[in-house]
């Protein structure tokens, strides 16, 4: 993990909090890349998914802000179902 002193749980909480009021689910199955799903309400079928976000690219709070901005831009550009790979 690149953010020195920040655990995966803390990083997830920061991203989830930044995405409010949208619902956000974050997973890191391989330990190296994040998959983030963002939806309004409980329905992820109409949400967006961003996968392949390398943990080593998240070095600062600014990187997290840019990531959240990218998620919101995806949702705004395609309010219907959308998937993207970073």
């Amino acid at each position: 993990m690149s953010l020195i002193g920040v655990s995966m749980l803390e990083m997830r909480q920061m991203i989830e909090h930044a995405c409010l009021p949208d619902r956000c689910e974050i997973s890191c199955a391989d330990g190296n890349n994040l998959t983030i799903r963002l939806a309004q309400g409980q329905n992820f079928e109409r949400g967006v998914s961003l996968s392949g976000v390398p943990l080593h690219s998240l070095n600062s709070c600014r990187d997290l802000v840019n990531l959240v901005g990218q998620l919101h831009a995806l949702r705004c550009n395609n309010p219907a179902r959308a998937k993207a790979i970073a």
Side-chain angles (χ1 to χ4, degrees):
M1 173 130 120
S2 296
L3 286 171
I4 296 172
V6 176
S7 70
M8 178 61 76
L9 178 60
E10 290 169 322
M11 182 185 296
R12 287 178 58 188
Q13 288 175 336
M14 285 189 280
I15 295 169
E16 289 169 356
H17 184 74
C19 290
L20 290 174
D22 295 330
R23 183 168 178 216
C24 180
E25 284 186 356
I26 302 167
S27 61
C28 187
D30 65 1
N32 294 314
N33 298 290
L34 295 178
T35 298
I36 305 166
R37 294 173 43 192
L38 185 66
Q40 292 180 324
Q42 300 296 320
N43 189 358
F44 280 101
E45 290 297 316
R46 293 184 176 197
V48 294
S49 178
L50 184 63
S51 58
V53 179
L55 281 175
H56 66 81
S57 71
L58 302 174
N59 296 308
S60 68
C61 290
R62 183 172 292 175
D63 294 334
L64 292 179
V65 169
N66 290 336
L67 176 61
V68 171
Q70 187 178 4
L71 285 166
H72 285 296
L74 281 172
R75 186 175 51 82
C76 290
N77 289 336
N78 191 359
R81 187 176 180 173
K83 290 193 176 184
I85 298 177

